[in-house]
Amino acid sequence: MNRPADRYAIEALARETGSLGLCIFARTATGLVVRAFPLGVGIAEDPASGAANAAIAAFLQETGQLAALGRRYRVSQGREIGRDAVLTLELDADDAVWVGGDCRSVLRGELQWP
């Protein structure tokens, strides 16, 4: 996905379909590996997308494939771009999908408050 033509094709697809872009996932022994390309909103690749992972979980639930992963599973995302995020997806008692993970603040600077 590093060639510019690929990014242009995804951006064109997003425009044509009124979508954010393209998500790709693969199953592993412990969960999923996800790549999200929301070029419809100008982001080349999202290293940790809760929205993309929730949409994938909803798709898997709708097609009867989520049971194979269990009610709680892990997702690896962003490794290919040097930001190895690990998200946890969980279905609650009502089968609603919850996405979470550890976070770390990386902001530095000074805030000017009126």
Side-chain angles (χ1 to χ4, degrees):
M1 284 311 227
N2 294 328
R3 296 180 316 199
D6 294 331
R7 290 192 293 274
Y8 298 136
I10 294 170
E11 186 175 6
L13 175 67
R15 227 179 290 115
E16 290 171 21
T17 61
S19 67
L20 295 178
L22 178 68
C23 294
I24 302 166
F25 69 94
R27 289 191 182 132
T28 68
T30 59
L32 298 179
V33 174
V34 171
R35 293 189 76 182
F37 304 95
L39 284 148
V41 292
I43 301 171
E45 184 167 354
D46 193 336
S49 175
N53 282 289
I56 291 168
F59 167 76
L60 292 171
Q61 177 76 335
E62 181 75 21
T63 58
Q65 300 175 63
L66 192 57
L69 292 169
R71 299 195 65 80
R72 181 180 172 95
Y73 63 93
R74 295 200 165 234
V75 172
S76 171
Q77 185 177 347
R79 182 179 328 149
E80 292 81 1
I81 58 172
R83 302 187 187 259
D84 196 7
V86 177
L87 294 95
T88 302
L89 278 85
E90 185 170 351
L91 282 105
D92 67 13
D94 298 322
D95 287 339
V97 176
W98 292 88
V99 181
D102 294 336
C103 65
R104 178 177 52 165
S105 298
V106 293
L107 299 173
R108 292 185 198 148
E110 184 177 308
L111 175 64
Q112 298 289 324
W113 195 263

